[in-house]
Amino acid sequence: MQKIKDIYITCEKGLELVAPIAKDAIQEIMNCFPAFKEAYPITILGNWKSEHSRTARNGNIILEPYESTDWYIGRAAQQSLSDERASGIKIKDGIIKVDGQISIDALYNDLSNDPYAKKIPQIQILLTKHDLYGTQRNGRLLNFCLGVSEENAFSVISTARFIKPNGRFDQEGFKTVVMHEFGHAIGLTRRGRKNTYEQLGSHCADENCIMQQQMNGDFSEITRRRLIFKAHGLPPICPDCITEGEKFFRNHLAKALSRNADFRNR
Ligand SMILES: [Zn+2]
Ligand SMILES: [Zn+2]
């Protein structure tokens, strides 16, 4: 099958070992759609930057808009300063360190306008080590969030809440949330689908499916069930989610084919 879209994984510096874990998680979801796996190759771009990523002015290095992962993170940190969710930003050895959280709304808005995504069909998975906060529909700020996604465009996921008090990384919990966010990016719980409910967006009502929402942000019970299912050779998403995903992929395959046909007919 021809390629429909690339899946690109980008990350902040320091998450180089986490990016392959995210790739495994996405691969596990794509394995639920064997007919479309090859059409969505997954590539780790890491701490991405274009050749236009920086300019020096008056001795200061300025990150060019949209030209690097660091620019997105820096913008989200700036927003956090004005929302008083962060008290300072430092850049040391090229690594952005924020005292506090960063704004998921800023990331969402900037990624929605990504000029590269308009030129090169892609779903971008951006990994940040900073804790995220965002605005609820009623305008109130959430204490924290684990991630956000836009259908057929991108997911953002934070690793911050998966570092245990002993410093160890909760790899399986993180994978569950990567799968969940990627599931939103491929439209698994589209509003109005059967067996869904509204809670911070549309979510799956199947109690063993990773596409349910956890109000307190605790995915440990869902992760426990996911791993039991996996041990029995069962997928992390329920039959309703698989049916919806197949619709998503068939729909985007049809669009890709008609684009090619238009191109040939020109
Ligand atoms: Zn969700
Ligand atoms: Zn489901």
Side-chain angles (χ1 to χ4, degrees), residues 180-181 184 203 213:
H180 179 105
E181 288 306 329
H184 284 310
H203 285 93
Q213 174 64 299

Side-chain angles (χ1 to χ4, degrees), residues 189 193 195 204-206 209-212 237-242:
T189 56
R193 195 206 81 186
N195 214 13
C204 186
D206 186 304
C209 178
I210 57 144
M211 293 310 293
Q212 6 166 11
I237 51 177
C238 72
D240 286 329
C241 283
I242 292 179

Side-chain angles (χ1 to χ4, degrees), residues 180 189-207 209 211-215 222:
H180 179 105
T189 56
R190 172 165 311 163
R191 194 156 284 140
R193 195 206 81 186
K194 74 167 176 161
N195 214 13
T196 57
Y197 62 99
E198 278 295 316
Q199 190 170 289
L200 296 173
S202 182
H203 285 93
C204 186
D206 186 304
E207 60 176 9
C209 178
M211 293 310 293
Q212 6 166 11
Q213 174 64 299
Q214 292 306 291
M215 205 46 194
I222 297 179

Side-chain angles (χ1 to χ4, degrees), residues 21 67 213 226 256:
I21 298 169
E67 301 292 337
Q213 174 64 299
R226 172 174 76 74

Side-chain angles (χ1 to χ4, degrees), residues 257 259-266:
L257 291 174
R259 264 198 308 275
N260 282 0
D262 286 349
F263 184 71
R264 273 195 304 271
N265 294 339
R266 233 179 252 168

Side-chain angles (χ1 to χ4, degrees), residues 3-36:
K3 181 161 88 180
I4 300 174
K5 257 188 179 193
D6 280 293
I7 298 170
Y8 290 133
I9 301 175
T10 59
C11 65
E12 282 191 69
K13 280 202 192 83
L15 294 182
E16 290 77 7
L17 296 176
V18 172
I21 298 169
K23 184 178 175 179
D24 280 355
I26 293 163
Q27 194 67 67
E28 246 178 79
I29 295 293
M30 288 308 297
N31 288 346
C32 302
F33 306 99
F36 297 98

Side-chain angles (χ1 to χ4, degrees), residues 24-244:
D24 280 355
I26 293 163
Q27 194 67 67
E28 246 178 79
I29 295 293
M30 288 308 297
N31 288 346
C32 302
F33 306 99
F36 297 98
K37 253 178 11 177
E38 319 265 284
Y40 284 80
I42 311 167
T43 309
I44 297 175
L45 298 182
N47 186 242
W48 175 80
K49 48 173 103 53
S50 78
E51 69 265 42
H52 318 291
S53 63
R54 279 146 196 268
T55 40
R57 287 177 204 144
N58 309 326
N60 293 324
I61 300 292
I62 293 164
L63 294 174
E64 287 294 327
Y66 304 106
E67 301 292 337
S68 63
T69 304
D70 288 351
W71 176 80
Y72 286 97
I73 301 296
R75 289 262 292 183
Q78 290 290 351
Q79 181 62 45
S80 175
L81 283 180
S82 42
D83 289 339
E84 297 180 343
R85 288 300 186 102
S87 53
I89 307 172
K90 272 176 262 165
I91 301 180
K92 206 177 160 224
D93 304 323
I95 296 174
I96 302 173
K97 230 185 133 20
V98 183
D99 254 332
Q101 299 174 297
I102 65 172
S103 163
I104 206 167
D105 301 334
L107 289 168
Y108 184 91
N109 290 333
D110 287 335
L111 284 165
S112 300
N113 294 316
D114 178 8
Y116 282 92
K118 294 192 173 80
K119 272 185 279 181
I120 306 159
Q122 60 183 270
I123 296 176
Q124 180 179 177
I125 312 295
L126 190 155
L127 308 176
T128 175
K129 57 181 187 258
H130 290 99
D131 199 26
L132 299 163
Y133 72 98
T135 316
Q136 296 182 69
R137 247 199 237 134
N138 61 15
R140 303 237 313 262
L141 286 182
L142 287 164
N143 286 341
F144 75 94
C145 30
L146 299 173
V148 74
S149 301
E150 174 67 9
E151 188 177 321
N152 200 32
F154 58 81
S155 295
V156 176
I157 302 118
S158 165
T159 58
R161 302 265 162 176
F162 299 100
I163 311 293
K164 293 179 181 169
N166 63 8
R168 282 195 50 199
F169 183 55
D170 172 12
Q171 182 167 322
E172 294 299 339
F174 171 72
K175 278 179 80 171
T176 302
V177 171
V178 172
M179 290 175 179
H180 179 105
E181 288 306 329
F182 180 67
H184 284 310
I186 57 172
L188 298 189
T189 56
R190 172 165 311 163
R191 194 156 284 140
R193 195 206 81 186
K194 74 167 176 161
N195 214 13
T196 57
Y197 62 99
E198 278 295 316
Q199 190 170 289
L200 296 173
S202 182
H203 285 93
C204 186
D206 186 304
E207 60 176 9
N208 292 315
C209 178
I210 57 144
M211 293 310 293
Q212 6 166 11
Q213 174 64 299
Q214 292 306 291
M215 205 46 194
N216 55 4
D218 181 0
F219 276 77
S220 53
E221 176 58 21
I222 297 179
T223 300
R224 198 183 65 83
R225 292 185 191 198
R226 172 174 76 74
L227 292 174
I228 293 171
F229 269 55
K230 188 177 176 178
H232 288 86
L234 294 167
I237 51 177
C238 72
D240 286 329
C241 283
I242 292 179
T243 303
E244 196 63 29

